[in-house]
Amino acid sequence: MSEQVSRRAALAALLLLGLAADAPAPASPVFPAKARDLWPDGQSTARGARSLVTGHRAAPGTLSDLARRADSAGLRVTAVLGRPVRPVVILPGSAQDAARLAGVERLDGLAAVADGGRVIVVPESFGRLTSTGKDVVLTHELTHVAAGTGGLPVWLYEGFADYVAYRDAGLPVRTAAAELAAEVRAGRVPAALPGPEAFAVGGPDPGRLALAYQEAWLACRFLSRRFGERSLVRLYRDAQAAGVDEALAALGLSVATLTARWRAYVREQLA
């Protein structure tokens, strides 16, 4: 999830669209198992054109707005991956409940998380996002659901998810990567692609997390600009199948040469 966007805490007005009349009940056989029986006292649902949203004691307008956004996020992911995506989004009543559903202790600083074929929204953090921020977060997490992350370095799967999320967001590079831009203007260009420790949630340096996402995003953005979007998608899939070194070699790159070209690209885009 893009920390830079998630920290822009402007409240966005919800669209009061009403609950979709044809949304199936949670016990329905067409209701996916990953969205059933999440709360013993029941749940509300809304269905978009291609998405399903279910929540705990959520207002129908809130669910319908989220379904509309999930529809849009699904189309954005489909445009890059080239296959249909049907989002399932869960809206718990609290961050604590979101962590319970995701099977983790805490989700500090996150607005949503991909989990088992679904996107779980962290309501307090998600609610503070701008309208654009909400769309970016949903698209990012849905990319993880649709594309998978197994066998990949963290910079590639987080950078690819941000690449898809920002692709049609209309944000200037210096806005989406504001923290990294400030570092570059101060003469501090990152020396290496971010490793797993840079993405640790709740680490000793919260600012490092925002930089890590921005660095990873610009690595994937560079690959798309230099070799084309289809080549970026192919690299992602090849890296899942055979490892990132072999996938990069197909483009005539190594991690070292990619790092050198990425550093130059970061300087060019943000200085």
Side-chain angles (χ1 to χ4, degrees):
M1 176 187 71
S2 171
E3 190 76 6
Q4 186 271 327
V5 171
S6 70
R7 298 211 183 269
R8 299 181 183 279
L11 287 174
L14 293 173
L15 300 177
L16 301 178
L17 299 180
L19 183 63
D22 61 344
S28 167
V30 300
F31 202 89
K34 57 196 170 189
R36 293 183 196 171
D37 303 322
L38 301 179
W39 301 281
D41 57 348
Q43 58 196 82
S44 304
T45 65
R47 187 177 289 279
R50 60 194 58 83
S51 64
L52 176 71
V53 178
T54 186
H56 189 216
R57 298 177 180 173
T62 302
L63 293 177
S64 295
D65 179 67
L66 195 52
R68 179 185 63 82
R69 293 182 186 278
D71 279 347
S72 177
L75 288 175
R76 291 182 180 189
V77 177
T78 293
V80 177
L81 296 184
R83 61 175 184 265
V85 175
R86 298 194 174 278
V88 174
V89 181
I90 312 299
L91 180 61
S94 66
Q96 183 178 4
D97 195 26
R100 176 188 67 82
L101 291 173
V104 297
E105 185 175 342
R106 302 171 70 178
L107 290 170
D108 293 351
L110 300 182
V113 63
D115 172 76
R118 60 192 183 177
V119 174
I120 299 174
V121 170
V122 182
E124 297 90 340
S125 299
F126 191 82
R128 291 193 295 268
L129 298 178
T130 63
S131 180
T132 297
K134 291 176 180 178
D135 293 339
V136 165
V137 164
L138 283 176
T139 305
H140 177 108
E141 299 302 336
L142 187 57
T143 301
H144 285 326
V145 170
T149 61
L152 298 172
V154 64
W155 70 262
L156 180 53
Y157 67 73
E158 293 295 1
F160 183 73
D162 262 1
Y163 169 80
V164 179
Y166 284 120
R167 178 179 180 265
D168 299 315
L171 292 173
V173 174
R174 286 183 176 87
T175 299
E179 288 85 352
L180 183 56
E183 289 288 298
V184 172
R185 288 194 298 269
R188 297 186 290 271
V189 177
L193 292 164
E197 67 287 346
F199 292 91
V201 176
D205 182 7
R208 182 68 189 99
L209 184 62
L211 292 174
Y213 277 99
Q214 293 161 20
E215 291 162 3
W217 169 53
L218 287 179
C220 288
R221 193 175 191 271
F222 162 74
L223 288 166
S224 178
R225 293 295 191 273
R226 174 63 181 82
F227 299 99
E229 185 173 276
R230 289 185 180 180
S231 291
L232 173 61
V233 174
R234 188 180 308 114
L235 180 144
Y236 195 91
R237 291 171 175 163
D238 289 349
Q240 287 177 310
V244 69
D245 290 336
E246 186 168 327
L248 285 172
L251 296 177
L253 297 172
S254 64
V255 172
T257 55
L258 169 61
T259 300
R261 296 185 189 183
W262 160 73
R263 295 183 74 240
Y265 180 74
V266 167
R267 189 181 295 109
E268 168 196 312
Q269 293 291 305
L270 300 180

